[in-house]
Amino acid sequence: MRRFAIALTLAAGLALGMGAAAPPAFAAPHPDEILEDPDLERRARDLSANLRCLVCQNQSIDDSDAPLARDLRLLVRERLVDGYSDQEIEDFVVARYGDFVLFTPPFNASTMLLWGSPVLVLGAGALGLFLVIRRRRHAAPVVTADLTPEERAALERILGDTSSGKS
């Protein structure tokens, strides 16, 4: 039972650790992708930082070298040059690829499990810990056999020696 509690604690810690991943490093896009207007390029980088590469799945499209990520970076920059707002570009990409493409998806019916999973993992860990502690408290008492007369006499001698201060 102790191994189960340790394994459960480690699993909960791992789940929490995965949720606290380091922020992306923001790799520079290829030189042929960079926009001449610094304001548009900054907006493109901001948008790209929140869009997940669908191939790598743990990198933004700015950090990924996958061909699909390159296509998405170019699409974002083309739309910015055409005068689209940041929200319109994000809405277009979400309409095309779904909420999964966003690093911070909105809270709705389809993403409820995604947002609720940390609470579920913590709740399961707390419940498991509670059950382990409860079982230990309510464990059956250790049953000892009656002592033989010789064992009882030896025990009384030992207890008599310790109570009188002798070792």
Side-chain angles (χ1 to χ4, degrees), residues 6 13 19 22 35 44 47 56 61 86 94 97 100 102 104 124 159 161 163 166:
I6 291 171
L35 297 173
L47 281 167
C56 307
I61 61 171
D86 294 358
V94 168
Y97 298 104
F100 181 75
L102 298 174
T104 54
L159 290 176
D161 287 346
S163 64
K166 298 179 186 174

Side-chain angles (χ1 to χ4, degrees), residues 1 18 24 46 48 58 82 86 109 116 127 134 139-140 147 153-154 158 160:
M1 204 41 93
M18 289 174 59
D46 289 343
S48 297
N58 213 16
D82 290 343
D86 294 358
L127 178 64
R134 186 172 157 213
L147 298 176
I158 292 170

